[in-house]
Each structure stands twice: as C-alpha cells, then as structure tokens.
Amino acid sequence: MAPSFAVHARRGAAALATAAVLSAAVAPAAFADGSPSPATAPGLYGKKDPQFDGVFRQSLALLAQKATDVAPPKQAIDWLAGQQCADGGFAAYRADTAKACDPKAGEFTDQTALAVQGLAATGGHGDAVKKGLGWLKAHQNEDGGWGMGPGSPSDPNSTSTAIGAYAATGQDPAKVTAKGGKNPYDALIGFQLGCDQKEDERGVFAYPDQKGKLTPNDLATTAAALAALGKGYLVAPAKGGDMPVKPLECDDESAKPKDAPSAGAAAAAYLAAKIEANGGFLRTSMPGTAEGPDAGLTTDAALSLAAGGHLAAADKPLKWLHAETNGTADWAKGDPGRLSKLVLAVHAAGANPRDFAGVDLVQQLTATGPKAEASPSSTETKDEKKKKKDDDTIGIWWIVGIFFVASVGVGFLISGRNKKQQL
C-alpha cells in the first residue's frame, strides 16, 4: 500500500468515527464487503448508501436514543448485532451477512468499538458485546493501542474509540494491557504534543506519518480528549458547576502530560483556545476538502468539552451550531450520524436536544429509522400509570358485562328457536 493511500485510508476511517464524511471518495473501497449496497435496509437508520458508515451511524443512533429516553426499536438493535462477523469484529457494512468476513481486510477497530458501545447501551446482546471486546483484545498492539485494522500501527482515533468500548461496558481501560504490560492510555498519550511545540499547539493530539513524525490534527484531538476521560460517546449530563479549562503548564520545555487526566485537560484547553480563536468553531481536518468551518468536528469538540465538565467552553461551539445562519439544521437533517452526534453533544452539555434552535433533533433522528417507542418510565408518572391501570380494569368489566348481556340475548334467541321447532 502506498504511503499516500495509507494516510487517506486512516483519515477516511477517522471521518467515519465522527460521522462527518464530506465525500465518499475520501474513504477506501476496502471498507465495503464488495457487495452491492441498497439505498435502504430493514432496521437501518438513514437512506443513504451505508457501505462506508452503516455500522457507525446505526451505533450512534442507538446511543443518541438511549441518551434521550427513547427505546430503540428491536429491529434496529438486531440489525446492528446481525452485522457482526463470526470472530466478533465488525466491517463498515455487510450487504450480505451470510457471506463470511475477511478478517485481514474487512474488519475494523472503529466500527467494532462503536458497535460494542451501541449494543452495550441497549442491552439484550451480551454475547455480541463480549465477542466484540474479545476481537479488540486480540488485535491490541504492543504499545497498548489500536490501529485502523488488524496489523495496522496504533493511531489516536482507533485507540480512543476502543477505550470508549471498554468504558461503556464498565471496564477500566487502564487494565486492558498488551503482552508487554502497556495499556491504551500509554499509547494515547504518546500521540500528544507538549511544551516543545508552538504555544497554540500544546496539548494537541497528532497522527503519525510513515516515518513516525506527529502531525497535529483536531480530529484526533476531539477523540482523544473524550477517551482520556475514560468515556465513550454516551456521556451523562455534567453535574455541578463549570470546570474551567487549564492550559498545559510549560515551565519546562520538555514537559508533556504524563497521565490520562492531565492529557485530557491539556487537550480540552487546546480545543477551547482554538474554538475561541476561530469564533466558535473548528475548521476541517480532512484531506482533500475545502478549508472552512466543519460542523461535524465542532460537534465532536462540544461533546468532548462537555464530557470534561467544561460547560462554558462547550457552550461556545454549541451556540455556533445553534445559530440558524450556520445551516446546522440543513447539515444534519436526514443524516442519522450527524443528528446523533448533535443529540449526544447537546445532551452531555445539559441542554435540550428536543429544542435546538427550535428543532427537535430527537424526532428528526427517529424519523430516519424504524419506529421507536418512548420508554414508559420516562413518559408516565405514577398517577398516570395508576389511572391507566384503573381504566384498564373498568374496560375489562365493561367487556365482561357486554359479553354477559349478549350471552343472555343469545340464550333467549336459542330458546325461542327451539320452541318454534317444537311447534
């Protein structure tokens, strides 16, 4: 594989992880299983061709619905579980699930890790979750991290998504060690730049090139900032007051974060400063795309900042996304991946995803897939449940009474008919 293709493949995969793909041409053809992709598939969210992001957008949709007390339809959950390969891994999309996966080229870390998060949140598929975690463990690199697929060198995005999978299942990612004893955080911190960089790049995470040189990247930073907190995409709303961002202290030029909490704090400070300098947003990190504001990347940053309790910092990108002049509603409308990311970010910040610039993001999301039902516990009070029970009881007695009257009437008719026959 040529170096340039490898770079584009990695970043294409990372784009899927953020549901912010701007062009299908960025992603490699290897993400599909080679089968034709239908415009729609029973149980799948969204109508666009799923070959590059089917598993991703489905997993995100389930997480977003879970966050907003909407019970994901069984059909949707089963669709995701049905995409799993025999060895526990996931491809980006399998048009024909009867066809065996290619374990060397058809299964990917990001898809597997996010599917584990989605299935763990919805429940009912414990075996699939266990197999997914088993696949991740089997493909963990010696540095403690993960690459795009089996045999790929570790990178910040895949490592971050895998960390989220373990966190989502109640496991401590720090205890998921490779043969040499290194854990995912060891690998993740290795991608962060420290005090030996320019002031506006301190705390940023970077992609390694073919020679190992780290290139700063905001996409990597948004993912790593969340993973450093030991969290996946489903984040509970922050409690308590705002936690101010704290820039990396650089009394020593060789200093850099040495543990996950300090790495997350430094990344959050970098993101907050970058967003402030840009006027509320982040610019695209994708190769081959026009320079400009990136709503998907900005959404990722809002989620990561909110997850760290940096509510004031998270409020700035959310306000930018909230402004109708930015076309956010048009950007996300009809796209389950984008809608899900917005729902998760707004939810994490403690705001209302059902009223985002006058738009009900939850309703728009559910409209892209099979019919969902609201969780009874979140929509009915105890009094409402008692009234419903009483009404049901009354209804049953009405049915019994009507049946009794009807039976009496039928008895008279039968009796009369018998008498007539005897005459």
Side-chain angles (χ1 to χ4, degrees), residues 277-336:
N278 288 345
F281 60 87
L282 290 178
R283 299 184 185 278
T284 182
S285 292
M286 289 294 296
T289 57
E291 175 73 12
D294 188 326
L297 191 56
T298 302
T299 303
D300 289 338
L303 172 61
S304 297
L305 289 168
H310 309 296
L311 301 183
D315 188 55
K316 292 180 180 179
L318 286 176
K319 282 184 176 178
W320 182 84
L321 290 164
H322 192 281
E324 295 182 6
T325 54
N326 291 321
T328 301
D330 292 335
W331 166 77
K333 188 174 183 180
D335 188 307

Side-chain angles (χ1 to χ4, degrees), residues 96-333:
D96 182 5
T97 54
K99 181 180 178 181
C101 300
D102 182 350
K104 294 183 179 179
E107 301 170 30
F108 301 95
T109 300
D110 300 76
Q111 284 80 354
T112 303
L114 190 54
V116 166
Q117 294 184 45
L119 293 173
T122 54
H125 287 280
D127 288 343
V129 170
K130 185 177 180 179
K131 286 178 65 178
L133 291 175
W135 187 94
L136 290 173
K137 187 69 181 75
H139 297 292
Q140 185 178 21
N141 292 329
E142 289 186 6
D143 63 2
W146 286 266
M148 182 177 68
S152 299
S154 298
D155 67 75
N157 280 83
S158 292
T159 300
S160 294
T161 314
I163 287 174
Y166 282 99
T169 56
Q171 299 187 46
D172 182 358
K175 295 181 180 180
V176 183
T177 56
K179 291 182 179 179
K182 291 191 175 182
N183 66 53
Y185 294 125
D186 293 326
L188 189 66
I189 295 172
F191 297 112
Q192 191 170 33
L193 302 183
C195 294
D196 56 347
Q197 303 297 311
K198 296 185 296 183
E199 186 174 353
D200 60 355
E201 290 184 350
R202 293 170 181 170
V204 68
F205 278 78
Y207 283 123
D209 62 16
Q210 296 300 306
K211 296 182 180 181
K213 181 181 179 181
L214 296 176
T215 303
N217 188 275
D218 290 349
L219 187 63
T221 308
T222 59
L226 184 62
L229 298 170
K231 296 182 179 180
Y233 285 103
L234 181 55
V235 177
K239 295 182 179 179
D242 172 58
M243 181 179 291
V245 292
K246 186 178 180 181
L248 184 62
E249 295 182 2
C250 289
D251 294 335
D252 182 355
E253 289 187 359
S254 63
K256 65 175 298 183
K258 296 181 180 180
D259 55 31
S262 60
Y270 164 83
L271 290 172
K274 192 85 176 275
I275 289 170
E276 179 73 27
N278 288 345
F281 60 87
L282 290 178
R283 299 184 185 278
T284 182
S285 292
M286 289 294 296
T289 57
E291 175 73 12
D294 188 326
L297 191 56
T298 302
T299 303
D300 289 338
L303 172 61
S304 297
L305 289 168
H310 309 296
L311 301 183
D315 188 55
K316 292 180 180 179
L318 286 176
K319 282 184 176 178
W320 182 84
L321 290 164
H322 192 281
E324 295 182 6
T325 54
N326 291 321
T328 301
D330 292 335
W331 166 77
K333 188 174 183 180

Side-chain angles (χ1 to χ4, degrees), residues 341-400:
K341 281 295 189 71
L342 274 173
V343 168
L344 291 168
V346 174
H347 170 75
N352 183 11
R354 295 183 181 276
D355 184 13
F356 188 73
V359 175
D360 187 339
L361 298 174
V362 180
Q363 187 279 326
Q364 285 198 4
L365 172 60
T366 57
T368 67
K371 185 178 180 181
E373 298 179 358
S375 301
S377 61
S378 65
T379 58
E380 294 182 343
T381 64
K382 291 183 179 180
D383 290 340
E384 288 173 335
K385 289 180 181 179
K386 183 178 183 302
K387 183 178 184 301
K388 181 179 179 181
K389 182 178 180 181
D390 292 342
D391 290 345
D392 289 343
T393 302
I394 293 172
I396 291 172
W397 281 110
W398 268 106
I399 293 172
V400 171

